[in-house]
Amino acid sequence: LIKFSELDHMYQVWELAMFSLVAAVCGLLGALFCHVFEFWTTRRPKSVSGKLIEIAIIATACNLLLISPLIFPSFADQGRCFTPPHGNTGDGVWDETVDNKIMRHNCEEGEYNDLLMLMLGNRDNVIKLLMEQTRDQLLVDGWFAFLAGLVAYVSCMAACDVATPAGLFMPGIFIGAAFGSAQGSLMNYLLRMAGAHEAANSMDLGLYALVGATAMLGGIFRSAICLVVVMMEGTSKITYMLPLLLCVSISKSVGNFFNESVYDIQIRVKHVRFLHAPTPPATEEERHTVVADIMSKDVQVVQAVEK
């Protein structure tokens, strides 16, 4: 997983209300994701040719969405230049991106276009970028963070459960971090509009990205303690326990209000035999059933030495 070694965010008590709002929104988005996941899973093509055609269509559409800033250069021109928090590319962190020239676009050497970085950059680097923002160093525009999160969210909903090897955990972290950063930027703007400049200046948008990432995972997977443990291990900061526990509890509760987790939906839709807890009440006949009543009488065994 990712190690967020540079995180050193602080938060005020009043920001817990902001974190709760971010978690509620991510819980709603997680529930919507699970609903769309179930809708598409039951309607996927069954034949090999149909699956191949589906993969080709979805892959083409998703890639066109991602490279849209390159297709329309005037759109990419709207991005602003920023310097990575680790300085230039000499530390090796940013050399893993698709192409440094593409990421720079119209920026100077050592700087990057925030829109292109969010859309096309290495996902690990972009997640770190979103979470390492501080009150003194806002690296990406909130609107572009929302746009990148929306593109990833729609692409993930379209591509989930297709016949290709892929996962949902890291995309969920990226989507949640992008939406969390965007919501933090919006709240910061509203506070400034209301004249609360001191409160706005105390907000660390990187922490909102971390809260959003955890809440999005909680809304999709409906896990609680394990998600908090994973994110805390990545940050190595015990001070984040309260906001992370709060956000994952809220997002999980909001998601459970609407539907099941993505795992439970897969188990039910694919008819996987699974013993849920708690189990349904036993009937009178089941109360008097012993193991011997359901065991196979004609057991096939393998000898220690076969002839």
Side-chain angles (χ1 to χ4, degrees), residues 69-70 76 102-105 113-121:
L70 298 180
I102 294 178
M103 298 305 154
R104 285 202 303 268
H105 189 55
N113 183 290
D114 62 347
L115 174 59
L116 291 174
M117 177 60 72
L118 288 168
M119 297 289 282
L120 299 173

Side-chain angles (χ1 to χ4, degrees), residues 114-221:
D114 62 347
L115 174 59
L116 291 174
M117 177 60 72
L118 288 168
M119 297 289 282
L120 299 173
N122 177 279
R123 281 294 173 254
D124 290 357
N125 291 341
V126 175
I127 292 172
K128 287 183 180 181
L129 176 72
L130 290 169
M131 294 189 180
E132 290 179 3
Q133 296 185 101
T134 65
R135 65 193 68 179
D136 301 319
Q137 190 177 32
L138 302 180
L139 301 175
V140 298
D141 186 85
W143 163 247
F144 292 146
F146 170 78
L147 183 62
L150 182 63
V151 169
Y153 183 72
V154 172
S155 300
C156 204
M157 284 197 299
C160 63
D161 205 38
V162 295
T164 55
L168 293 175
F169 193 82
M170 292 306 294
I173 289 181
F174 170 72
I175 294 168
F179 282 142
S181 179
Q183 291 179 77
S185 298
L186 176 61
M187 295 172 185
N188 189 286
Y189 172 77
L190 294 177
L191 285 174
R192 294 185 185 279
M193 290 291 291
H197 296 283
E198 184 176 351
N201 292 333
S202 67
M203 294 176 62
D204 275 337
L205 294 188
L207 186 53
Y208 285 79
L210 177 64
V211 168
T214 309
M216 183 61 69
L217 294 177
I220 295 175
F221 301 111

Side-chain angles (χ1 to χ4, degrees), residues 1-5 7 210 225-238 240-241 244:
L1 200 60
I2 302 178
K3 180 68 175 178
F4 309 113
S5 56
L7 298 191
L210 177 64
I225 302 301
C226 64
L227 284 179
V228 176
V229 171
V230 168
M231 300 307 286
M232 285 186 60
E233 285 181 347
T235 60
S236 301
K237 296 290 184 180
I238 193 69
Y240 299 154
M241 177 181 289
L244 293 184

Side-chain angles (χ1 to χ4, degrees), residues 227-298:
L227 284 179
V228 176
V229 171
V230 168
M231 300 307 286
M232 285 186 60
E233 285 181 347
T235 60
S236 301
K237 296 290 184 180
I238 193 69
T239 53
Y240 299 154
M241 177 181 289
L242 179 58
L244 293 184
L245 280 173
L246 176 66
C247 75
V248 79
S249 300
I250 292 176
S251 64
K252 181 177 183 292
S253 300
V254 171
N256 284 337
F257 180 80
F258 293 98
N259 49 29
E260 304 169 288
S261 72
V262 67
Y263 291 143
D264 288 327
I265 291 174
Q266 277 189 320
I267 290 172
R268 175 168 50 80
V269 171
K270 297 181 182 297
H271 306 289
V272 177
R273 296 183 181 273
F274 185 80
L275 184 61
H276 288 271
T279 57
T283 63
E284 187 63 27
E285 180 182 358
E286 291 172 340
R287 292 179 187 275
H288 298 88
T289 302
V290 296
V291 175
D293 296 331
I294 61 175
M295 291 176 63
S296 175
K297 303 298 190 294
D298 184 19

Side-chain angles (χ1 to χ4, degrees), residues 22-43:
V22 172
V25 172
C26 289
L28 287 172
L29 292 173
L32 176 61
F33 182 92
C34 293
H35 177 76
V36 175
F37 178 88
E38 181 177 4
F39 176 84
W40 282 119
T41 299
T42 56
R43 290 165 175 80

